[in-house]
Amino acid sequence: MRKYVAEFIGTMVLVIFGCGSAVAANTLVGKLGVEVPLGFTTLLIAFAFGLVIVAMAYSIGNISGCHINPAVSLGVFISGKMNGKDFVGYLVAQFIGGIAGAAILVALFGSNESLGTNGYGDASALGISMGIAFLAEVILTFVFVIAVLGVTSKVENGSVAGLVIGLTLTLVHILGIPFTGTSVNPARSFGPALLAGGQPLSQVWVFILAPLVGAAIAALVYKFLSAEEEKQA
């Protein structure tokens, strides 16, 4: 039970600080009435998501592995490093944590109009189509999950794993934010979309399905690559 509670807390904190930083940055820019380069806010938000992963990895990593992302849990499950019971338990805890985090953001900002939701079309900075949004999320999640599987595959990487994973999440956000706002995490997307309603909720299926597809591909590719490596050893 403790690992499920840890996943709930970790996902909640990710939404509060990651999505909350996006809301705060965009709100502040709007109130100041000044033009801020898109690259500046992109980096700010990207590092917020990356740093919260680093913080949680070294806080709850020894308890649950700090997945705090259904896509990561799926990758670990397909890799054979997680049983079905824990997989379901992690998913439930993560989605509830995402909803709780979004609810706290509503309380903090006093509105559900902007919760760091993901989107395509006019909800995307680049105005991309649904198909491009799906493809982008598959690619971004593939990179993130294969990095997680790789760095956590060796015990000697334990001291740096959190940092590597956090920086990889920062990396995928830098590219992905102008496209979709960057999900790579179904629970992070579902919580804010559920409380925001409207367009974010109608589009959220893309940000649930695409990361799971990307994670599954990453797990299968990593299994193939690691199997080849074991044969050569």
Side-chain angles (χ1 to χ4, degrees):
M1 178 58 72
R2 286 183 298 174
K3 54 191 171 186
Y4 302 147
V5 174
E7 286 296 303
F8 164 81
I9 292 172
T11 311
M12 180 178 64
V13 171
L14 174 68
V15 171
I16 293 171
F17 283 87
C19 296
S21 294
V23 177
N26 292 325
T27 301
L28 183 60
V29 169
K31 287 189 175 182
L32 290 176
V34 296
E35 291 188 8
V36 177
L38 178 62
F40 177 80
T41 54
T42 294
L43 287 174
L44 179 66
I45 297 166
F47 273 101
F49 274 98
L51 289 173
V52 73
I53 286 292
V54 173
M56 288 298 97
Y58 291 107
S59 299
I60 64 171
N62 62 322
I63 300 171
S64 69
C66 189
H67 294 186
I68 60 177
N69 181 341
V72 171
S73 295
L74 178 62
V76 174
F77 175 68
I78 292 175
S79 298
K81 299 178 181 179
M82 186 181 205
N83 62 46
K85 177 185 175 182
D86 279 346
F87 176 61
V88 173
Y90 272 43
L91 260 61
V92 172
Q94 290 158 0
F95 275 103
I96 295 175
I99 295 170
I104 290 173
L105 288 182
V106 172
L108 289 174
F109 291 102
S111 171
N112 69 338
E113 291 184 5
S114 177
L115 296 175
T117 54
N118 303 111
Y120 54 84
D122 59 10
S124 161
L126 296 177
I128 61 172
S129 67
M130 179 184 69
I132 296 299
F134 194 96
L135 178 60
E137 287 293 332
V138 169
I139 294 170
L140 295 171
T141 309
F142 172 86
V143 172
F144 180 59
V145 172
I146 202 168
V148 172
L149 295 175
V151 76
T152 57
S153 65
K154 296 181 179 179
V155 177
E156 55 266 34
N157 291 338
S159 61
V160 298
L163 184 60
V164 171
I165 294 170
L167 288 174
T168 304
L169 188 63
T170 300
L171 172 67
V172 300
H173 271 78
I174 290 172
L175 175 61
I177 286 173
F179 284 86
T180 64
T182 308
S183 170
V184 305
N185 184 334
R188 163 262 184 273
S189 295
F190 181 73
L194 180 65
L195 271 67
Q199 185 183 49
L201 186 57
S202 69
Q203 294 185 353
V204 74
W205 69 270
V206 170
F207 305 103
I208 294 175
L209 182 57
L212 295 178
V213 171
I217 296 172
L220 294 173
V221 169
Y222 187 76
K223 284 183 71 173
F224 170 75
L225 294 175
S226 58
E228 290 297 308
E229 185 180 65
E230 290 175 1
K231 288 181 181 179
Q232 295 172 5

